[in-house]
Amino acid sequence: MKAISKISLATLLCAIILFTTTQLVLADLQNTTYNSPFLPLNIPRANIGLTPLFSPDHSTKEETELVMSAKKTIDIAIPGFDSWSGCTYPKDGCMGCSATDLLNNEKFPIFQVLINQIVQHGVKVRLLTNKYDDKMCSGKMDLLTYLKIAGADVRYYTTTTFLHAKYITIDGCKSAISSINFSQTSFRRNREAGILVNECNNAAGVVKFSQGVFEYDFFHGVPLDVDYSQYSKSDIHMIQTSTATVTIPENMHFANCDASSGDIQEFNDNYNISISASPDYAYGFLMSALNQVKKSLKISIYEISHPDLCDYVIQLGNKGINLKIFASHYVFAKSEALEAYQCYRKLVDNNINVVLSAKQCLEFSHEKYWVIDDNILMMSTGNWRGSDYPNPPYVFPPKKGNSSTWRNVNRDFTLRIDGQTAILKKFLAVLDNDYQQGYPYSPSTSTSPIKQSINIRNY
Ligand SMILES: *[C@@H]1O[C@H](CO)[C@@H](O)[C@H](O)[C@H]1NC(C)=O
Ligand SMILES: *[C@@H]1O[C@H](CO)[C@@H](O)[C@H](O)[C@H]1NC(C)=O
Ligand SMILES: *[C@@H]1O[C@H](CO)[C@@H](O)[C@H](O)[C@H]1NC(C)=O
């Protein structure tokens, strides 16, 4: 007995050490105060197309084909740009793969499409992402380095602490705004949600807004620095001339649940649509919608950990508002998980049910959307968390040299679509399907939201 428990303790310790040492460390590059120049925008009768995007069953194909359809430009803002084949996963203190391996064996189809778009079609590709302090193994590279050598303009985000938006725009007129990170988990093992805004036939202004934010952040970005002396002339020549084979994988099968989101299509309508950027005024944008709740609020979200938003939900409950709250059973970062569970406990103490996603199904329920009075759909790249919806004042000093006034805030987007639209009904149907399969949160049964999982760090 004793020997066994010693062994399992040792295994656990190893697991913990492995777990902590393989965490990516974020480099916070913000060095000036951010004064939130982007006021929310409302466009009353936008004649545009909106396509709902959902993981795990649609996003891989939809986003890959979106990038494939670009004729002139591809702009991507994304928290991380993960390999699906282990090339960005540090082992023995460093990471990376050879250029040949990346070209021939990388499984992330958007990477392969980007190579072809740059090398074969001369499409201008701009990539904005967070900088992590990972060490590259000598002579090896990651996907971003490969794409930079191929000809992409790759920069690191500096506007605030963290770029949390998941954003792809092609030809300046079609934008995918979603919760879908560039990791295999996000595309294939999570519930994720997004909206593809098509303004290619009528520039209504949503894409102009989001592109304005992208341009601002890209302009302030720091270029990825490639040490060309690490790589052979033949590798560089290969990267700049070779095309790749794109393979979109079959969807994964989930034996223990119904993880599907049904059919999707583009819905064309005259939308009363609004958009806001975080951290700029997003909290006010959200609150002004929540202040309109008269009958019901339905939320499907990764986490609620913003104390004020949590309290506001309790107030709504006390007023007799019909509440339906669905959240992820598993939240990756421990501190975030504990804060979310604190909120859920408070809700339950106030007789508000919280339903968590089925454990035997998807990895994370990473979507972020909510519906007010069955009449207003809101979808975000951010969670109900202080970093995504920071309270006023909307002035954000950097951590550098000023840590007492610093707030850890993210770049995010939130969309709001008023009216009983077909896209609202689609989101509600997915919420209902997920909700029915979930289980009620209870402080006594769920002691810890943290799963023993060492290999997954993509959320
Ligand atoms: C902030 O960082 C950028 C990029 O590293 C640099 O060009 C700029 O001079 C810095 N600004 C300040 C105020 O330190
Ligand atoms: C459109 O939505 C905005 C809020 O985003 C609201 O103030 C306005 O009244 C709505 N207009 C119509 C015509 O529904
Ligand atoms: C540091 O914080 C103070 C107080 O909020 C502010 O006045 C000042 O502008 C900040 N400095 C920078 C570099 O952001």
Side-chain angles (χ1 to χ4, degrees):
M1 254 330 253
K2 221 169 185 174
I4 291 169
S5 65
K6 254 185 196 156
I7 289 166
S8 51
L9 182 67
T11 316
L12 184 68
L13 282 176
C14 280
I16 290 167
I17 290 161
L18 196 69
F19 185 67
T20 43
T21 51
T22 52
Q23 287 295 291
L24 299 182
V25 180
L26 177 78
D28 179 351
L29 300 178
Q30 182 187 357
N31 66 357
T32 54
T33 296
Y34 181 61
N35 287 305
S36 299
F38 299 104
L39 283 167
L41 177 71
N42 170 241
I43 304 154
R45 281 183 66 78
N47 182 230
I48 55 177
L50 300 178
T51 309
L53 296 175
F54 292 102
S55 292
D57 45 348
H58 294 295
S59 55
T60 309
K61 183 167 176 289
E62 290 294 321
E63 291 207 338
T64 306
E65 287 178 357
L66 173 70
V67 175
M68 221 181 263
S69 71
K71 294 280 177 288
K72 293 193 194 108
T73 60
I74 300 167
D75 294 320
I76 297 176
I78 202 84
F81 205 115
D82 261 23
S83 167
W84 287 16
S85 308
C87 295
T88 48
Y89 191 70
K91 279 189 289 266
D92 308 322
C94 66
M95 63 166 199
C97 287
S98 70
T100 318
D101 259 356
L102 283 169
L103 176 66
N104 298 319
N105 304 324
E106 173 57 45
K107 292 281 187 292
F108 180 27
I110 292 180
F111 173 69
Q112 315 287 358
V113 174
L114 288 172
I115 291 174
N116 295 345
Q117 287 287 33
I118 298 167
V119 169
Q120 202 172 15
H121 305 295
V123 170
K124 197 177 154 213
V125 173
R126 297 188 292 177
L127 305 170
L128 183 69
T129 190
N130 298 298
K131 184 172 169 37
Y132 299 94
D133 284 329
D134 287 310
K135 208 171 147 266
M136 208 82 76
C137 306
S138 141
K140 301 289 170 66
M141 60 179 71
D142 60 3
L143 287 66
L144 289 170
T145 305
Y146 188 106
L147 291 170
K148 167 109 187 199
I149 296 172
D153 190 344
V154 183
R155 299 190 193 176
Y156 293 123
Y157 176 78
T158 68
T159 310
T160 62
T161 295
F162 193 69
L163 170 62
H164 191 255
K166 290 87 173 157
Y167 177 75
I168 306 174
T169 293
I170 63 141
D171 299 335
C173 67
K174 229 183 192 184
S175 292
I177 298 173
S178 76
S179 62
I180 308 156
N181 205 354
F182 274 13
S183 68
Q184 177 156 217
T185 310
S186 244
F187 281 98
R188 290 163 59 74
R189 292 172 188 270
N190 293 351
R191 170 69 73 226
E192 305 272 359
I195 294 177
L196 176 58
V197 182
N198 184 353
E199 296 195 349
C200 293
N201 296 323
N202 176 26
V206 176
V207 176
K208 191 177 171 198
F209 178 96
S210 59
Q211 276 298 91
V213 175
F214 179 87
E215 293 292 349
Y216 180 98
D217 291 341
F218 201 75
F219 177 81
H220 290 96
V222 179
L224 163 71
D225 201 14
V226 173
D227 177 5
Y228 282 84
S229 70
Q230 288 271 303
Y231 311 114
S232 68
K233 276 211 174 84
S234 62
D235 271 357
I236 290 170
H237 179 75
M238 181 195 76
I239 291 171
Q240 290 172 343
T241 56
S242 304
T243 57
T245 309
V246 179
T247 312
I248 299 178
E250 290 293 316
N251 283 339
M252 292 188 49
H253 176 63
F254 297 90
N256 301 315
C257 64
D258 175 11
S260 82
S261 55
D263 293 335
I264 59 162
Q265 64 173 99
E266 183 176 83
F267 299 109
N268 287 278
D269 208 334
N270 287 310
Y271 293 101
N272 182 4
I273 185 168
S274 311
I275 182 167
S276 84
S278 293
D280 326 35
Y281 309 97
Y283 182 77
F285 182 73
L286 172 56
M287 285 312 295
S288 73
L290 293 181
N291 286 332
Q292 282 178 253
V293 177
K294 290 196 181 65
K295 284 180 275 180
S296 66
L297 174 63
K298 300 171 182 173
I299 309 173
S300 183
I301 202 159
Y302 180 55
E303 59 167 294
I304 303 175
S305 54
H306 193 307
D308 295 350
L309 293 174
C310 191
D311 289 347
Y312 196 81
V313 172
I314 292 168
Q315 276 183 42
L316 292 177
N318 292 340
K319 278 202 272 184
I321 299 294
N322 188 347
L323 298 169
K324 188 168 193 175
I325 301 170
F326 178 76
S328 188
H329 81 269
Y330 172 27
V331 170
F332 178 72
K334 191 175 175 181
S335 58
E336 282 186 39
L338 295 175
E339 284 160 25
Y341 272 57
Q342 226 165 32
C343 170
Y344 306 159
R345 186 178 185 129
K346 219 170 159 183
L347 292 172
V348 168
D349 287 347
N350 283 275
N351 301 314
I352 296 166
N353 293 328
V354 177
V355 167
L356 301 183
S357 57
K359 280 188 177 156
Q360 303 308 323
C361 193
L362 297 162
E363 192 72 43
F364 300 97
S365 251
H366 193 245
E367 75 289 350
K368 306 115 186 10
Y369 64 90
W370 50 97
V371 174
I372 294 167
D373 295 340
D374 289 341
N375 190 53
I376 297 173
L377 168 66
M378 295 183 80
M379 194 279 312
S380 182
T381 67
N383 299 299
W384 283 19
R385 182 167 177 76
S387 52
D388 300 9
Y389 291 97
N391 297 62
Y394 302 122
V395 174
F396 303 97
K399 189 174 191 178
K400 277 180 190 141
N402 222 4
S403 54
S404 62
T405 53
W406 170 73
R407 282 185 284 167
N408 180 354
V409 296
N410 293 342
R411 170 68 82 214
D412 273 301
F413 289 116
T414 307
L415 286 173
R416 165 179 170 165
I417 297 143
D418 286 47
Q420 284 168 10
T421 55
I423 194 165
L424 175 143
K425 287 174 186 148
K426 179 73 210 180
F427 274 84
L428 273 182
V430 176
L431 195 167
D432 282 339
N433 188 46
D434 289 344
Y435 190 91
Q436 273 161 26
Q437 299 177 75
Y439 67 99
Y441 165 80
S442 136
S444 56
T445 54
S446 321
T447 48
S448 167
I450 299 128
K451 197 146 104 178
Q452 290 301 327
S453 170
I454 334 176
N455 289 321
I456 299 150
R457 59 177 174 79
N458 317 314
Y459 58 107

